[in-house]
Amino acid sequence: MNSNLFWKFLTIIGLSFLSFQVVAQSLVIDSLSRIVAGQNAVSKSQRIEAMGQLARLMVLSDRFEEAHKLLDEAKRDSWKEKDGKHGAFTYATLTYLCMQQDSLVKAVEMIDSAVWYADRTEDKKTKGFVKLREGWLDYNLGDDELAYGKMLEALRLLEGEDAHEYESNIYHHLAGISARLNDPAKQLHYTRLCMDAALKSRNPDAIINSYLSMGSSYLTRYRKDNSDKSLLDSSLYYNKLLLSYADSNDERIALKSTKGIGALNIANLFLEFYPKSYRDSAEIYLVQALEIGRQVDYPEIIANSYGIRSGFAMKDGDYKKAEDLLKSAMLEISERPKTSLLVQSRISNALAEVNEKNGDPVQALAYYKDYISIYKEIFNKEKASVIQQLDARYQSEKKEIELEATKKEAQLAKKLNYIYILFILAFAFILFFVYRSYRFKLKASAQHQLLLERAKSRAELEAQLEAEKNTRLQTERELMKERMERLERELLAGTLHAEEKNRLVDGLRARLLTLDQKDPLHRQLEKIVSRNTEIDKGYKHIKSDIAEIRPEFIARLQEKSKQSLTRLDLKYCSYILMGQTNKEIAARLNVDPKSIRMARYRIKQKLNLEKAESLDQYIVELGSAVSRSVDL
């Protein structure tokens, strides 16, 4: 199995960077709940911070409504505080919540409010967290350059503030940006800083996530230079370290999917780079990953668990098993609430490649059409997401313009500058849409070319099959010709034998003339002579039959009947071609005329003739056609 089929999946989840600070263990949830409920004697600011942390944990389990209620209460309490750090923290958390619900416009509004509150506090840790959230939002909107600058600014604000969880998260995103920019060296640099900060924070989720990133970073470098096997060993080491640490801190891990991703990465390493002896070990990790994927309802993990098994089946040449595993993956993720169109499209593409390698272009094309159909749906959703992103940025820019216009209402010249900026942005958006449309057309053209190439391959295959069929027919003709030549030689030998026999019979005739007609010996000799005469007549008929029948006619009959005619059937057909009636054929073969009629009915069935069609006419026309083709 080509491992690239499934690294398409693993690239998504194997390099998925945590988008928030995971505080998050079940013990911490209970503690935070007691603080929010007022069971512990804490200050109002501590309670507001506890509500924000608890809301983030609720999002992990898709409890969005409860998280909103909690953050709404935190907002109301933060308005009463003079220090803006509580409002900044709450709105920054709301930014994350809105993004998880695909509400980009709302997320931009929340981060604007968070920045407004951050400007009204001297707490550098809060300022750094808000700047981190700003960079994270730009990262998700695809603006890597802007995100990179804000992340570095967040690091500067957090320096010396003992905020290792935040720093680990920032380094994680910087590593992600480096991966996007295809810079493995810088990716490894930031990943190491991420791991150092995570270890200092003693946060289990941050630690295992840093191990996951280390493994992915080493693998990225190994793919660029596979001569250094130590890179592959390092990737395997950090993924195993992830699983070991997660097992020993299971109750303190909030993001269980990270462990599943680590198990998948190990199994895929065994599939792609290690010998078959590692198959059993890979299966252990796949079972573990599939169990976690089902527990946390993570379609990518579930699909990859089946996909890697399919990869092993492909390596064994068992295409049927590989296809069945991919079908099982498609069925399972389709039945889950969190189904992923992107994963479904990649499974369909993998099914197409499996069937193509298995020599079934028709089924491969069917799966490829499914892939195109799902991909179009994804593309439409991406267009809607892009529009939402543009709208979010537009709203953000619009607010900034309105704010500046309010402050400098008298300065008309500056107002006009802002309007010009707005037009430039609108034009940039239009160019962006034109570019996306152009890229889509290029992809569609490439896909169309691929379909044409596959159709051409299929036509070449059909031509090859036709050539093989013609070769087989030619071989059969040669065999038939050889058989007729052998019969002619045998007939010649029989002729010589008959001549010797006739000389002997002539002697008997001479002897017969010397005997009295009443002599018993006379009658016996007369019967022998008469029988010899009848045999000679039959022999002449057989000789003429063989001379008239062409081997091409026999070959064409067998072709029409799909090789189902017996030698006796062919003899009947030969007599029919010579114009013999049923009675004459029966006399020649010394059989009952009724059996000849039954034989004719059987031959019509083997030649797939209708009841109303004439067997005699069909054979005569076939014989004429064969004669014309041979003469040509």
Side-chain angles (χ1 to χ4, degrees):
M1 176 72 185
N2 186 350
S3 61
N4 289 334
L5 289 176
F6 296 101
W7 271 104
K8 292 175 184 175
F9 296 155
L10 293 171
T11 300
I12 296 173
I13 60 177
L15 295 176
S16 62
F17 298 96
L18 283 178
S19 58
F20 53 94
Q21 175 200 2
V22 183
V23 184
Q25 305 76 15
S26 59
L27 297 175
V28 176
I29 292 175
D30 294 338
S31 175
L32 292 173
S33 298
R34 286 194 295 270
I35 294 173
V36 172
Q39 296 177 8
N40 295 349
V42 296
S43 65
K44 184 173 287 188
S45 62
Q46 288 175 319
R47 184 172 179 272
I48 293 172
E49 185 173 354
M51 284 191 285
Q53 292 174 350
L54 185 57
R56 287 201 303 275
L57 299 182
M58 288 177 175
V59 173
L60 285 176
S61 55
D62 294 340
R63 295 161 60 187
F64 295 107
E65 186 175 351
E66 294 177 60
H68 268 298
K69 289 181 179 179
L70 203 58
L71 289 173
D72 286 341
E73 184 179 353
K75 276 196 302 182
R76 289 191 295 269
D77 290 345
S78 65
W79 293 339
K80 303 172 185 178
E81 297 292 320
K82 292 181 179 181
D83 196 333
K85 70 175 183 179
H86 306 297
F89 181 81
T90 302
Y91 279 99
T93 306
L94 275 167
T95 301
Y96 166 73
L97 177 58
C98 292
M99 279 295 291
Q100 296 307 307
Q101 294 183 295
D102 295 328
S103 181
L104 299 180
V105 175
K106 199 72 175 175
V108 171
E109 292 177 3
M110 294 301 104
I111 199 62
D112 287 343
S113 298
V115 171
W116 189 87
Y117 277 102
D119 290 338
R120 284 153 182 79
T121 183
E122 297 301 322
D123 187 86
K124 294 181 68 175
K125 187 173 181 179
T126 301
K127 286 179 175 288
F129 176 67
V130 172
K131 190 58 65 175
L132 159 62
R133 189 61 69 215
E134 277 190 271
W136 170 81
L137 185 59
D138 290 327
Y139 177 85
N140 282 277
L141 293 175
D143 195 339
D144 290 338
E145 183 177 355
L146 192 59
Y148 193 90
K150 290 180 179 178
M151 291 291 177
L152 293 179
E153 187 177 353
L155 283 174
R156 182 183 60 78
L157 290 168
L158 293 172
E159 188 176 356
E161 293 297 319
D162 193 22
H164 299 302
E165 289 103 330
Y166 292 157
E167 289 174 347
S168 177
N169 201 350
I170 293 169
Y171 287 128
H172 223 138
H173 286 92
L174 290 172
I177 294 171
S178 300
R180 283 184 178 181
L181 298 176
N182 197 23
D183 190 344
K186 189 171 287 188
Q187 178 190 354
L188 179 61
H189 169 71
Y190 284 122
T191 304
R192 284 173 173 163
L193 292 175
C194 168
M195 185 175 66
D196 292 340
L199 292 172
K200 291 176 182 177
S201 73
R202 298 182 182 179
N203 185 302
D205 286 280
I207 291 172
I208 62 172
N209 196 58
S210 68
Y211 290 155
L212 179 65
S213 296
M214 287 294 291
S216 298
S217 179
Y218 276 110
L219 182 59
T220 300
R221 294 181 64 199
Y222 178 73
R223 289 184 185 281
K224 287 186 172 294
D225 180 16
N226 55 18
S227 62
D228 188 357
K229 295 296 183 182
S230 65
L231 297 174
L232 183 62
D233 294 337
S234 297
S235 177
L236 184 61
Y237 167 79
Y238 279 105
N239 280 288
K240 287 186 174 181
L241 186 60
L242 183 160
L243 297 183
S244 175
Y245 187 89
D247 288 336
S248 60
N249 294 271
D250 187 62
E251 292 184 359
R252 302 174 59 213
I253 299 295
L255 203 61
K256 303 292 185 182
S257 58
T258 307
K259 182 179 177 182
I261 296 169
L264 273 179
N265 285 345
I266 294 174
N268 197 78
L269 287 174
F270 288 154
L271 166 66
E272 190 173 7
F273 303 109
Y274 286 82
K276 192 174 181 180
S277 58
Y278 286 80
R279 182 79 54 85
D280 293 339
S281 299
E283 184 63 29
I284 294 172
Y285 291 110
L286 288 174
V287 170
Q288 187 178 12
L290 185 57
E291 181 180 356
I292 294 172
R294 288 168 175 167
Q295 286 175 357
V296 300
D297 195 17
Y298 205 133
E300 287 86 352
I301 293 179
I302 295 171
N304 277 281
S305 298
Y306 284 103
I308 293 173
R309 284 195 176 102
S310 176
F312 284 120
M314 289 288 288
K315 275 193 170 183
D316 295 336
D318 192 347
Y319 298 101
K320 180 65 171 61
K321 183 178 179 181
E323 183 180 3
D324 289 343
L325 286 166
L326 292 174
K327 286 181 178 178
S328 298
M330 180 70 82
L331 179 63
E332 183 164 346
I333 67 170
S334 298
E335 293 175 348
R336 290 189 167 270
K338 291 185 179 179
T339 184
S340 170
L341 287 175
L342 185 61
V343 175
Q344 288 180 357
S345 71
R346 285 168 175 160
I347 294 176
S348 296
N349 191 35
L351 281 166
E353 292 187 31
V354 169
N355 278 275
E356 185 179 7
K357 290 185 178 181
N358 194 26
D360 190 349
V362 176
Q363 190 62 39
L365 181 59
Y367 283 122
Y368 189 74
K369 288 181 178 178
D370 291 342
Y371 163 72
I372 295 298
S373 176
I374 299 172
Y375 187 80
K376 285 182 179 178
E377 187 175 350
I378 294 172
F379 178 76
N380 291 334
K381 289 189 175 182
E382 286 182 350
K383 282 200 300 185
S385 177
V386 169
I387 292 172
Q388 193 178 16
Q389 290 179 25
L390 293 174
D391 188 38
R393 289 190 176 276
Y394 172 76
Q395 294 297 333
S396 178
E397 294 292 339
K398 183 178 178 182
K399 284 186 178 181
E400 290 180 7
I401 292 172
E402 289 175 351
L403 180 62
E404 292 296 326
T406 302
K407 290 180 179 179
K408 302 177 181 180
E409 197 171 19
Q411 300 178 11
L412 182 59
K414 290 188 177 180
K415 273 187 169 185
L416 292 174
N417 289 336
Y418 290 133
I419 293 173
Y420 293 149
I421 292 173
L422 182 61
F423 277 120
I424 291 172
L425 289 174
F427 180 70
F429 296 153
I430 293 172
L431 288 178
F432 175 76
F433 279 118
V434 171
Y435 173 74
R436 285 297 296 268
S437 176
Y438 174 72
R439 289 295 301 273
F440 176 75
K441 288 181 180 178
L442 284 179
K443 289 182 180 179
S445 176
Q447 291 164 358
H448 179 68
Q449 184 64 29
L450 180 60
L451 290 175
L452 290 177
E453 290 176 358
R454 290 182 176 176
K456 181 180 177 182
S457 299
R458 183 177 178 182
E460 291 175 351
L461 179 60
E462 290 176 351
Q464 184 180 356
L465 291 174
E466 184 65 25
E468 292 177 356
K469 181 179 177 181
N470 293 334
T471 302
R472 177 175 57 80
L473 290 176
Q474 181 64 30
T475 303
E476 290 178 354
R477 291 193 187 98
E478 292 175 356
L479 289 173
M480 188 61 68
K481 182 178 179 181
E482 182 182 349
R483 184 182 300 171
M484 292 302 296
E485 290 175 351
R486 187 181 72 250
L487 289 175
E488 289 176 355
R489 289 195 297 270
E490 291 176 356
L491 185 62
L492 177 62
T495 302
L496 296 175
H497 178 73
E499 291 176 356
E500 291 295 329
K501 173 181 67 63
N502 287 337
R503 281 196 295 270
L504 178 61
V505 171
D506 289 341
L508 290 176
R509 284 197 184 96
R511 176 62 177 163
L512 186 62
L513 294 175
T514 62
L515 294 175
D516 187 3
Q517 291 183 355
K518 297 180 179 179
D519 191 335
L521 181 59
H522 183 278
R523 291 193 188 93
Q524 293 177 1
L525 291 176
E526 189 175 20
K527 287 181 180 179
I528 291 172
V529 171
S530 299
R531 178 60 179 162
N532 179 68
T533 303
E534 292 296 325
I535 291 174
D536 286 345
K537 289 180 180 179
Y539 177 74
K540 291 178 181 179
H541 284 307
I542 294 172
K543 184 176 179 182
S544 64
D545 292 347
I546 294 174
E548 293 181 17
I549 303 303
R550 293 181 179 273
E552 291 83 0
F553 171 74
I554 301 299
R556 187 69 63 86
L557 274 177
Q558 286 288 32
E559 180 184 348
K560 295 289 185 181
S561 67
K562 299 181 179 179
Q563 309 299 322
S564 62
L565 292 175
T566 64
R567 295 181 65 183
L568 185 57
D569 292 337
L570 295 173
K571 185 180 289 187
Y572 289 155
C573 293
S574 299
Y575 284 130
I576 292 171
L577 179 63
M578 290 185 292
Q580 300 292 313
T581 65
N582 289 354
K583 187 175 180 181
E584 290 172 338
I585 296 172
R588 284 196 176 195
L589 299 178
N590 195 25
V591 296
D592 190 348
K594 183 178 180 181
S595 66
I596 300 298
R597 289 194 293 273
M598 294 298 294
R600 290 170 66 91
Y601 176 75
R602 185 176 65 253
I603 292 170
K604 284 183 69 174
Q605 287 184 322
K606 292 181 179 180
L607 292 173
N608 294 318
L609 298 180
E610 298 293 336
K611 186 176 180 180
E613 292 186 79
S614 170
L615 178 62
D616 292 24
Q617 183 180 355
Y618 178 81
I619 290 177
V620 170
E621 290 177 354
L622 181 64
S624 300
V626 169
S627 298
R628 286 195 298 271
S629 64
V630 171
D631 293 340
L632 290 175

